[in-house]
Amino acid sequence: MHVGDLATMTDEVFTAWRNDHAAGADAIMLAPTRDLVAELNQRARQHRLQLTPDTPPEAVQLADGNLASVDDIVITRSNDRTLRVTATDWVKNGDRWHVTAVGADGSVTVQHARNGRIIDLPAAYVATSVELGYACTIHTAQGVTADASYTLLTGSEPRQLAYTAATRGRLGNHLYLEVVGDGDEHNVVRPDHTHPRTATDLLESILARDASSASATTMRRQADDPAYQLADEVNRYLDSLYVAAEHRLGPAQVARLDAAADRVVPDLTHADAWPTLRAHLMLLSAQGLDPVHELHEAATIREVDTAGDVASVLDWRLDDSGLRSAGTGPLPWLPGIPEALVDDQQWGPYLAARAARVRDLRDQIAEQVTATAELPSWARQGQGRPSPELLVDVALWRAAMSVDPADRRPTGPTQLAKAPNRWQAGLNTRLAGNRTPALAEWADVLDRVLVHPRRDPFYPLLAERLLRDLSRSRSRRPRDGPTGLAEGALPDDHNAAALWWRIAGRLAPAVASQVAGDHHLTTAWAERLPELLGPDQAAAVRSPAGGPPSWPSSTTRSPAARPSTRS
């Protein structure tokens, strides 16, 4: 992995390719755009021509607009079964070739980069389906194999393309991530430039982005799932509420608010959170309050000069509408509809319908959670079974906040807005009463040695593994923390997982083999448990509370289960 700005990394990719080429290795450069590919191809060809300046080559025009001559590397971009290499092989998309001769009519003779077979490519095929092959896009690289690959990534790729990029090289694969801005002054105000994402953030976003095709039945099932719909409906409700408040306030008063904001706090309208604060102020105006007065009051309570984002701090200080009218919103942390908008002939019915839609999905999710006996993944970490009411509340929260199903933190990432933050804190407090034995034993140690442990999704899993694999095998737990800390400081990103990685390397094989126990393995015959044991006993066996935590991994390691084990 390499990180930096785009210009520097483009140079690094070319330099790495050039060094491999000079050493006689077959390397390929991959880039996210055709413009970058064309630039790298041109640089590679110019570098090759500089090695033999006394022999100006005859060249042919290729499909990508570049020229190719003898000793250039090209790539074919379409299958053509009429261009036979052998009786059973033909020219295919993604094949790379060395040019051995060029014809006056635009045809070329090429030799396959891997099998060495030679073929003449006609001018018509060259003009439409042959490009320089020193660099190509990741899409084009599917099927390409080289000794080493060097890939520029933007962070917006799906995981399928990242897999392709990371597996083109037999001996080495290098990924270059852009984590530094390009210096364009017009981009300074963008959140991704004022708070740039780390390489870990970019990789996580790539791995979370799935570009695989979904069947019509899958899409229909998702579209009908209330948990899948709730987050969108919540966002539509909030957006409608803020738009209605702005419409009621009127253009003149909105302009007054915008003009007054920078007088109250200099450059407030340039803060990242100003749009959020502005919407909040306009919603307060719909409750009969003066938004400029409320802003001035919030700004003069205490100093704001040291705040990283002044607008965010002021938004927190405001008497949040959701808290002022607790219980009036369709969800506990959502603001209710102000009376002035309820009575509005245009907006009142529309907002009521939006709120009713959220409440309807809320009730559907509650029915689903209540009807199933199976615990969600976040509740399978050794703690006692939460109450039905708590299960429903957490399920609603996770659905409304689009918490990743793989996130083992019950309430997911910390919310920064005031009303959601307080509701989330309340959920966490209620969950603490059902605290896992692992967290009860290890929380004090982990809170000292980890960076922001409660924000780390691996934190509860680490505590559970420490209790199961370390604490129970010793007469007492270590006072100063896990021995993995002796290897030095932990990385800033995912330090809980990094600590476990160190500890796992020190465990005896018999203990380490239990690590897979919390991966919820299953077997082909596990689906027949209700048929064999009955629904109640099957649910008890499947639940961690109904048996030892290592039951899934134990059963999948048994001789009878091994042939059909899957995870």
Side-chain angles (χ1 to χ4, degrees):
M1 299 301 308
H2 310 267
V3 297
D5 64 274
L6 182 60
T8 300
M9 291 192 301
T10 302
D11 289 337
E12 290 180 357
V13 166
F14 176 75
T15 301
W17 171 88
R18 183 182 62 193
N19 293 339
D20 280 356
H21 186 71
D26 177 25
I28 189 168
M29 299 176 285
L30 306 180
T33 66
R34 296 183 68 86
D35 289 341
L36 272 176
V37 167
E39 176 187 340
L40 291 170
N41 272 325
Q42 290 170 6
R43 292 178 64 173
R45 185 169 188 271
Q46 290 302 319
H47 170 71
R48 186 189 68 77
L49 293 177
Q50 289 172 4
L51 300 178
T52 56
D54 299 331
T55 56
E58 295 183 10
V60 296
Q61 186 86 17
L62 301 180
D64 60 357
N66 287 312
L67 298 176
S69 52
V70 174
D71 291 335
D72 273 325
I73 297 176
V74 296
I75 185 170
T76 48
R77 298 299 300 117
S78 63
N79 300 327
D80 193 328
R81 291 176 179 266
T82 66
L83 298 176
R84 289 281 173 175
V85 180
T86 67
T88 58
D89 195 12
W90 57 88
V91 174
K92 296 183 293 296
N93 178 29
D95 283 346
R96 297 169 71 228
W97 314 78
H98 294 278
V99 178
T100 60
V102 297
D105 61 348
S107 63
V108 296
T109 302
V110 294
Q111 183 177 26
H112 200 281
R114 295 187 63 188
N115 57 41
R117 296 191 176 96
I118 297 175
I119 188 173
D120 294 327
L121 299 178
Y125 184 86
V126 172
T128 59
S129 302
V130 178
E131 302 173 356
L132 280 180
Y134 303 105
C136 62
T137 62
I138 303 175
H139 286 93
T140 303
Q142 299 187 49
V144 172
T145 304
D147 291 332
S149 70
Y150 301 93
T151 305
L152 290 166
L153 294 176
T154 65
S156 61
E157 295 82 5
R159 58 174 175 256
Q160 289 83 0
L161 281 186
Y163 172 80
T164 297
T167 55
R168 296 308 90 197
R170 290 185 292 267
L171 305 179
N173 293 278
H174 298 258
L175 303 179
Y176 295 77
L177 286 168
E178 182 183 3
V179 296
V180 180
D182 56 9
D184 186 344
E185 62 181 7
H186 298 93
N187 288 331
V188 172
V189 298
R190 291 174 51 189
D192 55 342
H193 284 257
T194 56
H195 300 83
R197 295 189 296 172
T198 66
T200 302
D201 294 333
L202 292 172
L203 287 172
E204 287 180 339
S205 67
I206 289 173
L207 292 173
R209 193 174 296 111
D210 185 4
S212 59
S213 300
S215 67
T217 53
T218 298
M219 297 178 68
R220 178 60 181 271
R221 183 172 61 253
Q222 290 178 340
D224 291 340
D225 185 356
Y228 185 83
Q229 301 173 53
L230 183 59
D232 284 341
E233 292 298 336
V234 166
N235 290 333
R236 290 188 178 100
Y237 169 76
L238 288 173
D239 185 65
S240 301
L241 198 59
Y242 295 141
V243 171
E246 181 176 2
H247 182 268
R248 181 183 181 279
L249 186 59
Q253 291 300 314
V254 170
R256 170 177 170 262
L257 173 60
D258 291 337
D262 287 334
R263 292 197 301 269
V264 175
V265 178
D267 294 326
L268 178 61
T269 58
H270 293 91
D272 289 342
W274 167 244
T276 301
L277 173 60
R278 183 175 182 268
H280 189 174
L281 289 166
M282 288 188 288
L283 186 61
L284 290 178
S285 74
Q287 297 177 340
L289 302 174
D290 181 356
V292 176
H293 174 75
E294 295 297 319
L295 177 61
H296 184 270
E297 289 292 314
T300 55
I301 294 175
R302 293 184 301 277
E303 60 85 21
V304 293
D305 295 338
T306 59
D309 188 331
V310 178
S312 180
V313 173
L314 295 179
D315 182 69
W316 180 272
R317 290 182 184 177
L318 289 175
D319 189 7
D320 194 282
S321 58
L323 299 177
R324 287 166 55 95
S325 53
T328 62
L331 291 174
W333 62 91
L334 296 181
I337 305 173
E339 290 296 329
L341 294 178
V342 171
D343 298 334
D344 189 284
Q345 294 183 354
Q346 176 182 0
W347 287 103
Y350 179 78
L351 293 173
R354 282 288 178 205
R357 175 62 176 158
V358 174
R359 285 192 290 268
D360 180 55
L361 293 174
R362 176 199 65 190
D363 295 342
Q364 292 182 46
I365 293 173
E367 290 178 5
Q368 287 182 347
V369 174
T370 305
T372 180
E374 184 177 359
L375 285 174
S377 60
W378 60 264
R380 300 175 189 168
Q381 298 171 146
Q383 68 265 48
R385 185 183 182 92
S387 67
E389 295 79 9
L390 185 54
L391 282 173
V392 169
D393 287 345
V394 175
L396 288 171
W397 172 266
R398 292 176 68 93
M401 294 299 176
S402 296
V403 177
D404 187 342
D407 195 332
R408 293 178 183 252
R409 294 170 294 182
T411 61
T414 301
Q415 296 297 314
L416 301 182
K418 187 175 185 179
N421 181 277
R422 290 190 174 182
W423 181 257
Q424 184 180 26
L427 286 178
N428 289 331
T429 300
R430 293 165 62 190
L431 288 163
N434 197 50
R435 196 174 193 180
T436 71
L439 286 177
E441 179 168 355
W442 281 97
D444 58 335
V445 173
L446 296 181
D447 287 348
R448 292 199 308 269
V449 302
L450 298 180
V451 179
H452 304 304
R454 305 309 170 100
R455 303 180 190 174
D456 194 319
F458 198 80
Y459 172 73
L461 192 57
L462 172 63
E464 185 67 24
R465 288 180 176 181
L466 290 174
L467 176 65
R468 184 188 62 205
D469 297 328
L470 296 183
S471 300
R472 293 175 180 173
S473 62
R474 299 178 180 178
S475 58
R476 58 184 177 88
R477 64 180 177 88
R479 295 178 180 178
D480 299 327
T483 56
L485 294 175
E487 298 180 19
L490 293 167
D492 292 336
D493 291 332
H494 296 283
N495 48 97
L499 178 58
W500 175 252
W501 180 262
R502 294 180 183 181
I503 294 172
R506 299 169 179 265
L507 298 179
V511 178
S513 66
Q514 297 295 322
V515 170
D518 50 26
H519 289 178
H520 307 300
L521 302 178
T522 185
T523 62
W525 47 265
E527 300 299 328
R528 297 184 57 218
L529 284 176
E531 172 188 341
L532 299 172
L533 304 177
D536 294 339
Q537 287 183 314
V541 170
R542 285 173 169 171
S543 171
S550 60
W551 181 84
S553 58
S554 301
T555 55
T556 54
R557 285 196 300 271
S558 69
R562 188 174 298 120
S564 58
T565 298
R566 70 182 189 273
S567 62

